[in-house]
Amino acid sequence: MMSMRGTVRPDAPIELRIGGHTRRELVDSLASAGVRTNAFAEVLLADPAFDRAESRTLLVAAREVRALGLPDGGTLPEVFAAASADGFDLLPLEAGPYARLALLAQEAAPDSVLSTGRAPSAAIHVASEPISEDDEQPKGFYLRVVDGEPWLRGYRCDNAYAFPPEAVFLFASGRR
């Protein structure tokens, strides 16, 4: 499904093709690629956003929270506002699984801790509008490789949780 198999670096935006597949085809592609998911990712994959079939290509770029002018970290609203001020946009929710497939060569996490109530090491959070303001609902996807296995995970946080300065987010970028 995806031709790009790489990593994303802050200095090198990449093209990401999303859409054009049914939810079933997308889920099957994730399974065929050995991508593991958690329950929060399953909730996000059930969202109506995945009923759209339009295909499009987006330019995406990764940024650490500190590079967005938040040297001490920031909450999700602060991260998104800082990114917007730097000319970045949020990605559509459906970009998460396509990014996972495109970035299978992502660097492995230095630890295998999957859930600790903090931003996981070596994760790339896909910056998208949360599907719900309810703090019990997942806010978005993140990508991580743990013990050689690629993961597409959903995460929850409230608007008071501060992402650390080294947390990485993937945004839409008009910059080439």
Side-chain angles (χ1 to χ4, degrees):
M1 175 186 301
M2 300 297 300
S3 59
M4 180 178 49
R5 297 276 188 254
T7 59
V8 63
R9 298 184 336 258
D11 61 338
I14 59 171
E15 289 186 349
L16 176 67
R17 186 167 180 80
I18 69 169
H21 298 90
T22 66
R23 182 190 327 262
R24 174 74 347 223
E25 290 169 336
L26 181 57
V27 169
D28 287 348
S29 292
L30 290 166
S32 292
V35 173
R36 308 245 342 241
T37 58
N38 67 352
F40 296 143
E42 299 297 328
V43 169
L44 293 168
L45 286 166
D47 189 83
F50 291 95
D51 295 335
R52 294 189 284 263
E54 67 196 48
S55 176
R56 59 199 185 277
T57 301
L58 304 171
L59 191 61
V60 298
R63 291 293 182 270
E64 284 188 340
V65 170
R66 77 175 108 235
L68 297 171
L70 299 168
D72 298 321
T75 65
L76 201 57
E78 290 169 339
V79 170
F80 289 175
S84 178
D86 275 359
F88 296 100
D89 294 316
L90 297 181
L91 290 161
L93 180 65
E94 60 268 30
Y98 289 96
R100 173 69 290 163
L101 290 168
L103 300 171
L104 289 173
Q106 177 185 3
E107 183 179 322
D111 62 60
S112 58
V113 177
L114 290 174
S115 181
T116 63
R118 63 168 176 77
S121 61
I124 300 172
H125 291 80
V126 180
S128 60
E129 189 68 38
I131 61 171
S132 171
E133 292 300 316
D134 182 350
D135 293 339
E136 296 302 312
Q137 292 297 311
K139 298 300 180 199
F141 291 109
Y142 70 85
L143 318 176
R144 195 162 182 244
V145 175
V146 177
D147 296 332
E149 293 183 308
W151 281 85
L152 175 67
R153 295 179 60 86
Y155 69 93
R156 292 186 311 182
C157 67
D158 60 24
N159 284 339
Y161 174 77
F163 287 85
E166 66 276 5
V168 175
F169 282 81
L170 190 66
F171 296 97
S173 171
R175 301 176 182 148
R176 290 202 181 265

